[in-house]
Amino acid sequence: MEENAAAQFERGTDGPKVIVVGVDGSDSSWRAAAYAAGLARRQGSKLVLVYVQPVLPAGASMGAPVVDATNEVAEELMAEIRKATDRLQGIYDVRWEFHTLRGDPYNGMVQMADELKADAVVVGASESAGHRIMGSVAVRLVKAGRWPVTVVP
């Protein structure tokens, strides 16, 4: 056995224990969250919802209104998630948690998936034209090759 193989995290051998899903308020991210919640329920996995608050590039105005806006999105996402879980309480039992951090969505998702030893990552398909230049978060996560990635349209 390779020396390094023993130190590697063994993913998904008994089904996923931790499913990480990226949410940003877009329709595709809500569909991804719903899909991931269904997976988590059926598999008995923990569902981890992650919102990565964007950081504007250097040179852009980083005034208080921008910071307030991204904090507002995080608060709105949390309120929506709580409403959804309250509606489903008693019907479906899903263990879940919500994390928010600042930075680039791709790097934030990688950081959370690694920290939480994710067995699977679920994201919505990009609704942004800008992904043509940088590559969508979904494509970049697939190329990272560290977890099974499901892209929900």
Side-chain angles (χ1 to χ4, degrees):
M1 185 162 98
E2 283 180 38
E3 188 178 310
N4 192 16
Q8 286 184 333
F9 178 68
E10 188 176 283
R11 291 189 173 85
T13 55
D14 293 328
K17 288 182 181 64
V18 178
I19 299 172
V20 173
V21 60
V23 292
D24 63 7
S26 66
D27 288 344
S28 68
S29 82
W30 286 124
R31 288 190 295 272
Y35 179 86
L39 282 178
R41 179 182 56 82
R42 289 187 298 278
Q43 298 288 330
S45 310
K46 181 194 294 183
L47 176 65
V48 180
L49 298 117
V50 176
Y51 170 56
V52 182
Q53 296 182 40
V55 174
L56 294 180
S61 161
M62 192 54 183
V66 173
V67 172
D68 290 347
T70 61
N71 287 338
E72 237 174 77
V73 171
E75 286 167 23
E76 286 172 21
L77 288 170
M78 191 65 211
E80 284 297 318
I81 292 163
R82 283 198 196 285
K83 272 191 245 171
T85 54
D86 287 347
R87 276 195 309 269
L88 299 175
Q89 196 154 14
I91 301 170
Y92 300 119
D93 185 28
V94 175
R95 294 174 301 126
W96 66 277
E97 52 191 54
F98 177 72
H99 295 266
T100 182
L101 59 154
R102 288 188 192 280
D104 164 67
Y106 167 76
N107 289 321
M109 289 294 293
V110 167
Q111 176 187 335
M112 291 308 300
D114 282 347
E115 277 180 26
L116 297 164
K117 292 183 169 51
D119 295 296
V121 175
V122 180
V123 291
S126 176
E127 295 179 3
S128 159
H131 75 265
R132 289 185 188 93
I133 298 161
M134 293 294 292
S136 72
V137 171
V139 168
R140 293 169 68 199
L141 288 167
V142 169
K143 285 182 177 178
R146 289 158 56 180
W147 332 263
V149 177
T150 301
V151 182
V152 178

